[in-house]
Amino acid sequence: YLREVRKIPMDRLAHQPGATRWAEHVEWVDPETGEVVEWRHVIVNAMTAGKRLAALHRTWLLPDGSGPDPVRKARGRHKTMIGTASGAAIRVSPGPSGLSPTRAADKGRTDPLIITEGYEDALTLAVARPDCRTWAAGSLSLMGLLDWPACASAVVLAADNDWDKPQAMAAFEKVEAWWRGQARGRPVHVVRAPAG
């Protein structure tokens, strides 16, 4: 899924994401029917807040890994979170130091931090910018619930191209305002892909 469908050159990552696991048997409760279903082929990502595991982010895939489960995708549920995701993120890349956020802060090491909505975007940017720490918030609304970590010298917000979605554009403006309000003179940048 990541290498062939999303075309992410995983072998070019400076650090393989320690937050990511592959699960072959995961139980899922359908919120509409209450039915418990065992599903195969799920990407599971740890969402961390400070030093604690706060939530799990799960991407439900087709059995052959060729894409997201279409039934869940049609319902908007091919990605789900359990736990308390507010204030937590998937730590995709530790940046050039290779240090955890806590260790980096303890050593006074700061690097730019890229924050994305989605995990796949964070992986893509971690490949493109190994000089930055990269985190995925899991959703647009969750991007605006993170606090500026002590390990970040600057924050780069990777915005999805939602030009045709006024509600999403307005929500991103709130996220950007949240980060600028925390900046205290530190740089905040917004980047968008030229297409897609």
Side-chain angles (χ1 to χ4, degrees):
Y1 171 69
L2 296 173
R3 287 185 180 93
E4 295 173 25
V5 176
R6 297 303 298 255
K7 306 290 187 205
I8 301 169
M10 298 293 288
D11 57 328
R12 288 181 42 205
L13 284 169
H15 304 276
Q16 291 299 311
T20 302
R21 298 292 183 269
W22 173 257
E24 291 197 24
H25 301 283
V26 175
E27 287 186 348
W28 179 73
V29 179
D30 187 319
E32 293 176 10
T33 66
E35 179 183 4
V36 178
V37 178
E38 186 176 275
W39 194 254
R40 301 179 68 106
H41 310 292
V42 181
I43 297 173
V44 180
N45 287 298
M47 298 186 76
T48 310
K51 295 181 180 181
R52 69 180 177 81
L53 174 66
L56 295 177
H57 180 281
R58 302 172 300 179
T59 304
W60 307 86
L61 302 176
L62 287 168
D64 64 359
S66 64
D69 171 37
V71 174
R72 283 188 178 85
K73 188 166 187 172
R75 293 176 174 176
R77 293 191 183 116
H78 69 290
K79 294 185 179 187
T80 61
M81 291 175 247
I82 56 173
T84 306
S86 177
I90 303 166
R91 296 175 182 172
V92 173
S93 169
S97 72
L99 298 172
S100 72
T102 302
R103 285 197 177 138
D106 289 348
K107 292 180 179 280
R109 172 69 189 250
T110 61
D111 293 298
L113 169 64
I114 299 172
I115 301 172
T116 68
E117 287 184 48
Y119 171 68
E120 296 88 348
D121 291 341
L123 283 170
T124 299
L125 287 167
V127 169
R129 296 300 307 261
D131 57 324
C132 297
R133 188 176 291 276
T134 310
W135 293 358
S139 73
L140 177 56
S141 62
L142 291 172
M143 284 178 77
L145 297 176
L146 292 168
D147 291 324
W148 194 297
C151 63
S153 59
V155 167
V156 178
L157 301 172
D160 284 1
N161 286 333
D162 290 326
W163 298 299
D164 59 339
K165 300 175 186 169
Q167 220 173 356
M169 293 293 286
F172 185 82
E173 288 173 9
K174 288 181 183 176
V175 167
E176 182 181 355
W178 168 253
W179 284 98
R180 291 197 184 281
Q182 298 184 74
R184 296 187 199 99
R186 296 167 290 194
V188 175
H189 303 283
V190 175
V191 295
R192 292 182 191 275

